[in-house]
């Protein structure tokens, strides 16, 4: 679905730069979360193009898959006090345009690529991810996720579910599971409900917030970086960076459960896929000494949906629409 917001802006000068435009893009962020990032990239990229020769401009735009769909650089001087700013996306590409009433001055589109927006390559953003996650200090979650009236559906004698949202297929979701005791509902963390408890743990962290995790990070050039962190550290870091978590169970074994956790950043159109093997002894209040093992692949473009799910190796996914 195309998201569009428009507001009056002001710009001038041969170098495309406007504090007012930045403030306007910031105001739009309530409706379009990526508006500031898209505008900042556009301003920098337009100035890069202005400094290049026509041949160099063409080469740069082809390389970055940036398209000027309406107008041209020579029309930037037409931006004035009544110019409108529009920012949106179609699920695969961002769009930004400046228009004077009914006339579009210039319109650009470019891929929903985190690398392009931040102007860094995959190696750089991967290294930054590892560095930030390693030093990230987790804080206890203040939200106890107490359900509100009417949010729960009874699915078994002592089991209730709070429906979340699905990612691509119904089996990949962020539903939460609760049990009831004298009218008090708490998140399930009990060996009686193995799968539901582990789903809760992977989405929220569970009672054992210090569950250790040995994380193998797949990096550019087939490099593997090993981190010793906690599961909660991973969960909270993903949430702080704007990702929403979804869990898909792959295999239920005798002593362990194998799952994929999708950390989805819809704002910047990327996913981290965490493949994890969870032993059942993490359930409950017993202190966990041995680390659980997980491997993560970073910054996979969301629009490359078929590749995304082929790599995850979840069963029965390839033929889903």
């Amino acid at each position: 679905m195309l998201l569009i917001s428009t507001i009056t802006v002001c710009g001038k000068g041969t170098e495309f730069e406007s504090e007012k435009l930045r403030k306007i893009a910031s105001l739009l962020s309530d409706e379009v979360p990526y508006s500031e990032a898209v505008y900042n990239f556009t301003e920098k990229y337009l100035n890069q193009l202005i400094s290049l020769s026509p041949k160099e401009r063409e080469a740069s735009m082809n390389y970055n898959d940036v398209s000027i769909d309406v107008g041209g650089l020579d029309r930037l001087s037409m931006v004035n006090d009544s110019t409108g700013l529009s920012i949106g996306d179609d699920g695969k590409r961002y769009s930004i345009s400046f228009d004077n009433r009914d006339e579009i001055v210039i319109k650009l589109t470019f891929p929903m690529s985190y690398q392009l927006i931040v102007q860094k390559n995959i190696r750089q953003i991967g290294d930054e991810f590892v560095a930030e996650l390693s030093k990230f200090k987790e804080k206890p979650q203040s939200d106890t996720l107490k359900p509100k009236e009417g949010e729960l559906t009874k699915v078994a004698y002592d089991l209730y579910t709070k429906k979340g949202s699905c990612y691509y297929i119904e089996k990949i979701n962020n539903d939460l599971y609760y049990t009831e005791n004298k009218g008090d509902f708490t998140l399930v963390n009990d060996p009686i409900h193995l799968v539901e408890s582990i789903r809760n743990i992977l989405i929220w962290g569970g009672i054992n917030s210090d569950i250790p995790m040995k994380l193998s990070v797949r990096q550019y050039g087939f490099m593997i970086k090993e981190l010793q962190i906690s599961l909660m550290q991973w969960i909270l870091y993903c949430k702080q960076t704007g990702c929403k978590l979804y869990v898909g169970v792959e295999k239920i074994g005798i002593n362990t459960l194998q799952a994929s956790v999708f950390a989805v950043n819809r704002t910047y159109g990327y996913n981290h896929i965490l493949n994890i093997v969870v032993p059942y002894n993490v359930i409950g209040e017993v202190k966990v000494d041995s680390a659980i093992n997980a491997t993560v692949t970073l910054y996979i473009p969301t629009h490359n949906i078929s590749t995304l799910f082929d790599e995850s190796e979840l069963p029965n996914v390839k033929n889903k629409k």
Side-chain angles (χ1 to χ4, degrees):
M1 179 176 69
L2 187 65
L3 300 174
I4 291 292
S5 291
T6 304
I7 196 164
T8 300
V9 300
C10 176
K12 60 181 179 179
T14 55
E15 186 173 276
F16 192 72
E17 184 176 1
S18 172
E19 186 64 29
K20 279 191 175 182
L21 283 171
R22 296 192 197 104
K23 290 180 179 179
I24 296 307
S26 178
L27 291 175
L28 293 178
S29 62
D30 288 339
E31 299 176 55
V32 187
Y34 49 77
S35 58
E36 285 187 88
V38 166
Y39 175 76
N40 290 336
F41 164 76
T42 301
E43 185 178 272
K44 292 176 182 177
Y45 194 72
L46 286 173
N47 283 316
Q48 290 176 18
L49 293 179
I50 289 171
S51 67
L52 300 176
S53 68
K55 188 175 182 179
E56 290 171 330
R57 290 173 191 167
E58 183 179 3
S60 175
M61 293 175 66
N62 286 337
Y63 178 78
N64 292 297
D65 194 17
V66 177
S67 172
I68 298 180
D69 296 342
V70 179
L73 298 180
D74 58 316
R75 291 169 61 90
L76 288 176
S77 60
M78 296 171 59
V79 175
N80 56 50
D81 290 346
S82 61
T83 299
L85 172 65
S86 300
I87 298 176
D89 78 88
D90 64 1
K92 294 183 179 181
R93 295 177 68 83
Y94 296 115
S95 66
I96 182 169
S97 64
F98 306 102
D99 56 274
N100 291 340
R101 296 188 179 182
D102 296 332
E103 179 185 7
I104 296 177
V105 175
I106 185 170
K107 178 181 179 180
L108 286 81
T109 64
F110 44 91
M112 294 182 70
S113 165
Y114 184 67
Q115 297 174 58
L116 180 62
I117 287 290
V118 299
Q119 294 282 273
K120 296 176 182 178
N121 60 42
I122 190 64
R123 184 193 296 274
Q124 289 174 307
I125 59 177
D127 288 344
E128 289 179 0
F129 178 95
V130 170
E132 290 177 2
L133 177 60
S134 300
K135 65 183 182 183
F136 181 75
K137 300 298 183 182
E138 61 190 89
K139 296 180 181 179
Q141 298 190 76
S142 58
D143 184 3
T144 59
L145 300 181
K146 290 291 185 182
K148 299 177 182 177
E149 186 176 352
E151 285 188 325
L152 297 183
T153 301
K154 192 171 185 176
V155 293
Y157 171 72
D158 62 343
L159 187 66
Y160 297 78
T161 182
K162 177 183 176 183
K163 293 295 292 183
S165 54
C166 300
Y167 187 57
Y168 194 64
I169 60 173
E170 285 188 16
K171 291 182 179 180
I172 303 173
N173 59 65
N174 49 26
D175 296 351
L176 292 173
Y177 295 87
Y178 291 79
T179 189
E180 183 261 341
N181 182 23
K182 297 181 180 179
D184 183 35
F185 293 91
T186 57
L187 286 166
V188 171
N189 196 337
D190 190 311
I192 295 176
H193 300 293
L194 289 173
V195 176
E196 292 82 5
S197 295
I198 290 178
R199 278 185 167 274
N200 281 351
I201 289 170
L202 294 176
I203 292 293
W204 182 65
I207 296 172
N208 294 327
S209 62
D210 59 348
I211 297 172
M213 181 167 70
K214 181 180 179 182
L215 180 63
S216 299
V217 183
R218 293 174 178 167
Q219 294 184 289
Y220 179 82
F222 303 102
M223 299 285 289
I224 300 290
K225 180 70 175 181
E226 302 285 355
L227 299 180
Q228 296 288 341
I229 61 174
S230 70
L231 176 62
M232 185 66 84
Q233 193 171 340
W234 153 262
I235 291 172
L236 295 184
Y237 177 75
C238 286
K239 291 182 178 179
Q240 178 178 281
T241 53
C243 294
K244 195 169 184 178
L245 301 180
Y246 301 83
V247 174
V249 174
E250 297 184 47
K251 183 178 180 181
I252 302 171
I254 297 175
N255 299 308
T256 62
L257 179 147
Q258 184 177 341
S260 288
V261 180
F262 298 84
V264 181
N265 191 307
R266 296 188 184 277
T267 298
Y268 296 113
Y270 67 73
N271 303 255
H272 307 311
I273 300 182
L274 183 82
N275 298 111
I276 188 168
V277 177
V278 185
Y280 297 141
N281 64 9
V282 304
I283 300 173
E285 300 184 51
V286 179
K287 182 175 177 57
V288 180
D289 295 319
S290 58
I292 57 179
N293 294 308
T295 301
V296 65
T297 304
L298 304 175
Y299 296 104
I300 301 171
T302 301
H303 63 260
N304 195 1
I305 198 72
S306 60
T307 300
L308 176 69
F309 284 97
D310 285 349
E311 288 185 6
S312 75
E313 297 180 355
L314 283 171
N316 304 319
V317 167
K318 291 186 180 180
N319 295 325
K320 297 288 184 181
K321 295 294 183 181

